[in-house]
Amino acid sequence: MSRLGALANKIDRLETTLHELTEALVRLQVASLERTREFNIDANDIEVDRAKMLSFLSSVSKSLLRDTAFFALTLEERTWQAIARGLLSNGNSADDWHEDLAAVIGSLERGQLRDVNWSTIQQVLGTLDAGITDDMRRIEGW
Amino acid sequence: MVATYLAAKTVALNVTLERLIKSQQALAREHQGFSTWLADILGQLSNRKRLLDTAVSIGQESTALLILREIERTRGYIETIWLPALEFEREEHRRVSRFIHKLAQQIGISYFEDVLSVLGQSWAVRSPAQLPLFYVPMYQDQTLFECAVLYHEFSHTLSRTSKAVETLHQAIAQYFDGILSSSIKGKPAQVEAQRRQVAECAMYWNEERVEEIFCDLFATHVSGPAFVCSWLDMTSRLERKLFRVNKNDVHPPDGFRTDACLRYLHNRWDQHPLMQWARTFWATQRGPGGGAPDDTVPYHVVCSDEVMDLIIKKTRQILMDLNVTAFDDDLPEVSSLTSFDDCTSLVKLINVAVAVHLLRPTDYPTWEGTVLPQVMQ
């Protein structure tokens, strides 16, 4: 009956998402430096990572502009919405973020990894990470 | 600066990982499932450590810090939760774990491969669903009273294996979407204020709170009066406003939870003195209801009768779809309560335990002394 149950379930789900995305991020960064052979990374994996990252960033981007007065969202959509809210709480407007994300999405779509602004992706993933940490604090009473 | 820090952490992580792997390998054989699962987690941790090394070596410090935080979180779980639970397990822990496992099996939860218990804390569960760790009070192996609370915790594991909570959440969200899409009448400022209020209510019912109320109703469904009475006893001990809408609490208001459980409960026990006790006791505890004046989200909107009815109806349907068996047994007359000693059905036994405790309190210790050794082995 403590705060653990439901929150622990949520944290585990978000952590799985974050794990997958940080893994994709590192591989894409390696690929952007053309050092995949050195780190034994397969070209097919890079394609999978690129698609994964594109899908994630597009979802967050859509959530930024979605009418917030609509609540019947799927579990995934709620995750993207929470990230979008986290991004907006840092000061930048929805339009600014949308523009930054559009630039990254464009570079990824064109396969121009050298042009990707990694900092944008790091900030988005950092927001997801901060959400997990907040939830953990609520459980542990930090 | 960051590079030096990352170098220091990398060295420390190598040492820590080695230590964790040694501890995992030394784990008792009786918990093969947990041991294998931990080995898998440690394998993932080693992979993340390699990923960290990669990020460091290509000079991506921000990415490296992100991975480092993930690694530290997982390390924290293993070091502070799972390994201590396994390494410091004693016979009383094992006794409780066996009891919990049997309790779950009897209500149809068959996916627990193994169970771990930690004594000395408030009820809670951590899981992978198949390998749950239960936190229970210090003397859980010495009493049956309040065991019904465990059914609420079982339900948290069910939330991981089914779409039950998501389905309920969707139903509640759709309800609020419906209000927003209907024409709210009044002056523009009033309409806007009302819309904002409805939006706040919808956001209040996030997945955590929906899961908590679902777990309450699940426990009521599978254990009947036992959970409702145990819960009533617990709420009476908590010094807080029963109907306060507290946005910092992941649970819905306690008063709402109690009303919902009582409303969910089948009326077949209405004439039994145990339920008469429950309703009378709650009437003395609940007060006028209706939230607190400084609540930012008003109780009458966020926890309206309509919302409660929707939650109850939908949960009943979800549990029926999942084939979760409802507790449906008669309870013995008060005069024959203490002669009940059939330990075949634990859920019935726990209901009798609650009835003896509340209706024949002076007989409780002797009665419990006769049945407990049969179930807590």
Side-chain angles (χ1 to χ4, degrees):
Chain A
M1 304 298 266
S2 78
R3 289 181 286 185
L4 195 55
L7 266 180
N9 282 354
K10 182 185 170 194
I11 289 170
D12 282 359
R13 184 171 53 75
L14 295 180
E15 278 190 324
T16 306
T17 305
L18 185 60
H19 280 345
E20 288 175 4
L21 290 166
T22 46
E23 207 164 314
L25 173 62
V26 173
R27 283 199 289 250
L28 288 170
Q29 287 178 322
V30 169
S32 75
L33 298 169
E34 296 175 1
R35 291 172 66 179
T36 49
R37 196 174 294 176
E38 182 186 337
F39 291 99
N40 211 12
I41 298 171
D42 192 270
N44 290 332
D45 288 342
I46 296 295
E47 275 314 295
V48 173
D49 290 333
R50 195 166 67 97
K52 194 181 288 175
M53 193 59 81
L54 267 171
S55 159
F56 167 69
L57 295 175
S58 304
S59 303
V60 173
S61 184
K62 269 183 211 153
S63 291
L64 277 164
L65 300 181
R66 178 180 282 131
D67 178 6
T68 50
F70 180 71
F71 302 100
L73 305 173
T74 65
L75 205 59
E76 272 199 333
E77 285 169 334
R78 288 201 296 279
T79 304
W80 314 146
Q81 195 181 49
I83 295 172
R85 280 203 202 106
L87 290 173
L88 296 177
S89 70
N90 290 339
N92 283 4
S93 70
D95 286 337
D96 286 347
W97 272 112
H98 195 64
E99 201 177 304
D100 289 349
L101 285 169
V104 174
I105 289 167
S107 302
L108 283 173
E109 274 173 345
R110 291 189 296 274
Q112 293 169 339
L113 296 182
R114 278 174 177 277
D115 297 341
V116 173
N117 184 348
W118 301 115
S119 161
T120 302
I121 302 180
Q122 284 158 345
Q123 286 180 70
V124 177
L125 294 186
T127 305
L128 176 56
D129 180 77
I132 295 170
T133 308
D134 281 350
D135 283 338
M136 280 189 68
R137 285 194 174 135
R138 287 161 77 196
I139 285 185
E140 316 290 357
W142 293 354
Chain B
M1 194 68 156
V2 175
T4 316
Y5 172 70
L6 285 168
K9 293 303 289 184
T10 303
V11 173
L13 274 175
N14 284 336
V15 177
T16 307
L17 258 173
E18 210 173 295
R19 201 180 294 149
L20 290 174
I21 289 166
K22 256 188 205 157
S23 295
Q24 179 272 324
Q25 286 169 343
L27 285 177
R29 280 188 199 159
E30 63 202 272
H31 287 301
Q32 197 55 51
F34 280 103
S35 181
T36 308
W37 175 70
L38 269 182
D40 183 46
I41 301 275
L42 287 171
Q44 290 172 28
L45 209 54
S46 300
N47 286 339
R48 301 212 75 70
K49 170 69 180 43
R50 275 194 287 278
L51 202 67
L52 174 68
D53 292 340
T54 305
V56 170
S57 61
I58 58 170
Q60 288 291 345
E61 289 176 350
S62 296
T63 304
L65 286 171
L66 200 60
I67 299 165
L68 183 62
R69 279 200 292 275
E70 285 182 65
I71 291 176
E72 291 291 18
R73 262 202 299 270
T74 310
R75 182 174 76 95
Y77 295 149
I78 299 173
E79 277 187 359
T80 63
I81 298 162
W82 297 99
L83 277 177
L86 284 158
E87 287 202 4
F88 305 135
E89 186 187 45
R90 294 194 308 230
E91 186 44 36
E92 52 266 44
H93 298 95
R94 280 190 276 271
R95 210 163 28 237
V96 171
S97 297
R98 282 193 294 270
F99 173 72
I100 290 175
H101 205 158
K102 198 168 166 191
L103 208 60
Q105 281 174 330
Q106 285 199 357
I107 60 159
I109 291 182
S110 53
Y111 50 77
F112 290 175
E113 291 167 20
D114 198 357
V115 171
L116 266 182
S117 300
V118 171
L119 305 186
Q121 293 191 39
S122 180
W123 290 274
V125 65
R126 269 185 195 274
S127 40
Q130 289 76 12
L131 296 164
L133 183 155
F134 288 91
Y135 293 102
V136 293
M138 185 73 185
Y139 302 112
Q140 187 70 82
D141 65 325
Q142 294 168 44
T143 185
L144 286 173
F145 189 62
E146 290 178 341
C147 276
V149 171
L150 286 164
Y151 293 113
H152 170 104
E153 304 305 333
F154 292 162
S155 186
H156 282 300
T157 69
L158 186 77
S159 306
R160 293 181 161 228
T161 57
S162 76
K163 295 245 178 210
V165 172
E166 198 177 344
T167 307
L168 181 58
H169 186 275
Q170 282 284 328
I172 298 171
Q174 277 163 4
Y175 166 79
F176 284 111
D177 278 340
I179 297 179
L180 281 178
S181 60
S182 67
S183 53
I184 301 174
K185 289 182 181 131
K187 291 178 184 164
Q190 287 172 326
V191 170
E192 184 47 38
Q194 230 173 319
R195 289 181 71 84
R196 220 176 12 246
Q197 197 176 70
V198 174
E200 274 206 61
C201 291
M203 287 199 284
Y204 174 83
W205 283 108
N206 59 19
E207 64 202 74
E208 296 101 280
R209 291 195 186 94
V210 172
E211 183 169 331
E212 293 296 344
I213 190 71
F214 175 80
C215 291
D216 289 334
L217 297 182
F218 173 92
T220 305
H221 183 87
V222 297
S223 74
F227 176 75
V228 176
C229 294
S230 302
W231 167 246
L232 268 172
D233 176 47
M234 283 176 72
T235 51
S236 73
R237 285 181 259 151
L238 304 171
E239 276 188 90
R240 49 184 166 154
K241 292 176 182 169
L242 291 165
F243 292 92
R244 158 153 247 158
V245 181
N246 180 358
K247 284 206 220 165
N248 294 320
D249 189 346
V250 295
H251 301 89
D254 286 347
F256 178 84
R257 298 171 71 184
T258 311
D259 280 341
C261 290
L262 281 166
R263 206 181 282 189
Y264 187 96
L265 198 65
H266 198 285
N267 61 10
R268 66 171 299 146
W269 300 287
D270 275 0
Q271 298 311 311
H272 194 278
L274 181 61
M275 282 318 296
Q276 287 171 358
W277 171 86
R279 292 188 193 277
T280 310
F281 183 70
W282 179 229
T284 64
Q285 296 289 305
R286 83 186 295 281
D294 54 343
D295 284 346
T296 50
V297 188
Y299 183 89
H300 71 276
V301 183
V302 81
C303 296
S304 67
D305 268 4
E306 267 184 70
V307 172
M308 188 183 292
D309 282 342
L310 168 73
I311 290 173
I312 288 173
K313 196 175 157 197
K314 194 74 195 172
T315 302
R316 219 185 278 283
Q317 189 195 323
I318 291 167
L319 294 178
M320 209 161 72
D321 292 346
L322 288 171
N323 285 322
V324 179
T325 309
F327 177 67
D328 197 23
D329 285 6
D330 285 329
L331 297 178
E333 295 298 322
V334 177
S335 57
S336 57
L337 276 173
T338 52
S339 47
F340 186 91
D341 61 358
D342 180 359
C343 301
T344 328
S345 162
L346 290 175
V347 69
K348 179 144 187 188
L349 188 71
I350 289 169
N351 269 280
V352 174
V354 171
V356 176
H357 186 270
L358 293 169
L359 303 176
R360 296 184 57 179
T362 52
D363 294 327
Y364 186 75
T366 312
W367 176 80
E368 191 179 60
T370 61
V371 294
L372 200 63
Q374 297 177 59
V375 295
M376 209 66 85
Q377 292 165 339

